Amino acid sequence: MKRRDGPQAALARLAATQDALFTLQQAVELGFDDCWLSRQCRSGLILREHPRVYRYTSAPRTMRQQLMAMTLRAPERVWVSHRAAGGLWGLDEIPTDVLEVTTSTRITAPGRNIIIHRVASIPPRDVTVVGGLAMTTVHRTLIDLGAVVDADTVEIAL
């Protein structure tokens, strides 16, 4: 049976699968326009996290949500990586409070708390999606860690 509860409920359900986030494109595909987004931002119900990425303010802000917002900026061209991926993979001795992504496009960090690593390209075999979050595979993460932590830390993680 198809749901008939309207586009606002559909957008809320979509955002629930993306840590309370949605993109401008997703909202437009559901029938919303810039005017609606502006009204929602003015009312405080949503907040613009990044260009073309919005967050429902009723959800608490988390590290995972911040990483998801970065990956939604340029799907299939931004991936959680390095220490952030190591922390999400549960690798031993990897700090879990560092926000790090790798990208093959031109984006800027929204603040000083996110580290962006740029690459010309990344092989498809080195990326995956876990729980809706685009990130580097465990193997690629271990390689990337060699650039940002000492050899002993990489060995423990391995």
Side-chain angles (χ1 to χ4, degrees), residues 62-81:
T62 66
M63 178 181 157
R64 179 185 155 80
Q65 184 187 70
Q66 291 176 66
L67 291 167
M68 176 71 80
M70 285 296 294
T71 65
L72 287 173
R73 285 180 70 179
E76 299 181 21
R77 297 189 327 195
V78 178
W79 306 272
V80 176
S81 64

Side-chain angles (χ1 to χ4, degrees), residues 48-62:
R48 184 174 162 257
E49 285 290 313
H50 298 289
R52 299 176 305 281
V53 178
Y54 297 86
R55 173 176 66 89
Y56 279 100
T57 57
S58 57
R61 195 156 194 212
T62 66

Side-chain angles (χ1 to χ4, degrees), residues 5-75:
D5 47 6
Q8 287 189 346
L11 186 61
R13 279 194 305 278
L14 173 67
T17 69
Q18 299 177 156
D19 296 283
L21 301 163
F22 63 91
T23 66
L24 173 60
Q25 179 180 344
Q26 291 169 332
V28 168
E29 288 171 359
L30 288 170
F32 298 102
D33 59 16
D34 288 337
C35 291
W36 181 84
L37 286 169
S38 294
R39 282 192 311 275
Q40 298 304 302
C41 286
R42 280 193 308 274
S43 73
L45 294 175
I46 65 172
L47 176 70
R48 184 174 162 257
E49 285 290 313
H50 298 289
R52 299 176 305 281
V53 178
Y54 297 86
R55 173 176 66 89
Y56 279 100
T57 57
S58 57
R61 195 156 194 212
T62 66
M63 178 181 157
R64 179 185 155 80
Q65 184 187 70
Q66 291 176 66
L67 291 167
M68 176 71 80
M70 285 296 294
T71 65
L72 287 173
R73 285 180 70 179

Side-chain angles (χ1 to χ4, degrees), residues 78-81 84-86 88-89 126-130 133-137:
V78 178
W79 306 272
V80 176
S81 64
L88 290 170
W89 285 117
D126 287 349
V127 294
T128 189
V129 176
V130 178
L133 193 58
M135 56 194 290
T136 55
T137 62

